[in-house]
Amino acid sequence: MNNRKILVISGLAAIAVIAIISASFANNESIRSNQPTQISGNLSSPPPVPITQVIARQQVPDGQSAQSIVGYAVKAPTSLPATYRTQIISVDSEHKVVSMLASPIQIKQNVTTNVEFFNIQKGILVYMADTRAYGPSFDKNIWLTNWAADRNATISHIGGFTVAAHGITTYNTPFGIVQDPAEVVLLKGYVEIELRGMVNSSDLMNAVASML
């Protein structure tokens, strides 16, 4: 796999991984708010960080503004769970990446942490990227097949586009219960669209369908 692709995907995965690992620091908050306990045995786990600091940094007012920067169509999801709304759209002009944050609770700039966003707010992260930046050796069909196989995801189609999805994964460890977010990935031409969150995968499927 192209090195840039590995870095980009690893960066996205790190957002949720940090949220899960860092939940050991927020365990009491999880109990008080009646949320699933998500802990890790890694005693050197990093503390929570503001969610707006681990996504693309240049914030824009809408999808059209993002599109003018990255050069491909950008549409915020219009079909979200009740009370959810897209609050933040940001871009990385160098790597042609778009990030969006949707939540039913107000996201506070440089205050709301990744742990709070994923585990307490049950927020949804939308990630878009121009796969042409991954290099000529990148094969989107092979990549999506491998992505689905690695996660035991189901492959289907929406509006003629291939999509892979899996629900929240829960498993026991010697240190407690760990949960991985649900994920949906769709390839629209050369644009990758990925959604993740601690919500039903059907909610993510509806959201991505509304972006086409």
Side-chain angles (χ1 to χ4, degrees), residues 135-192:
S137 63
F138 176 75
D139 185 308
K140 64 180 184 180
N141 296 317
I142 293 176
W143 177 80
L144 185 60
T145 298
N146 291 338
W147 187 96
D150 289 343
R151 294 161 177 78
N152 292 319
T154 300
I155 293 181
S156 57
H157 295 85
I158 297 178
F161 299 105
T162 303
V163 58
H166 70 83
I168 296 172
T169 304
T170 303
Y171 50 97
N172 292 314
T173 75
F175 310 100
I177 298 173
V178 175
Q179 290 184 308
D180 289 337
E183 296 177 289
V184 167
V185 172
L186 181 144
L187 296 172
K188 182 182 180 182
Y190 59 82
V191 178
E192 173 193 349

Side-chain angles (χ1 to χ4, degrees), residues 4 8 56-58 69-72 91-98 129-130 132-134:
R4 178 174 292 179
V8 172
R57 298 295 181 85
Q58 183 182 347
I69 296 173
V70 298
Y72 54 80
V91 299
D92 178 337
S93 58
E94 179 182 358
H95 299 105
K96 307 300 182 185
V97 167
V98 177
D130 184 339
R132 295 176 298 184
Y134 302 154

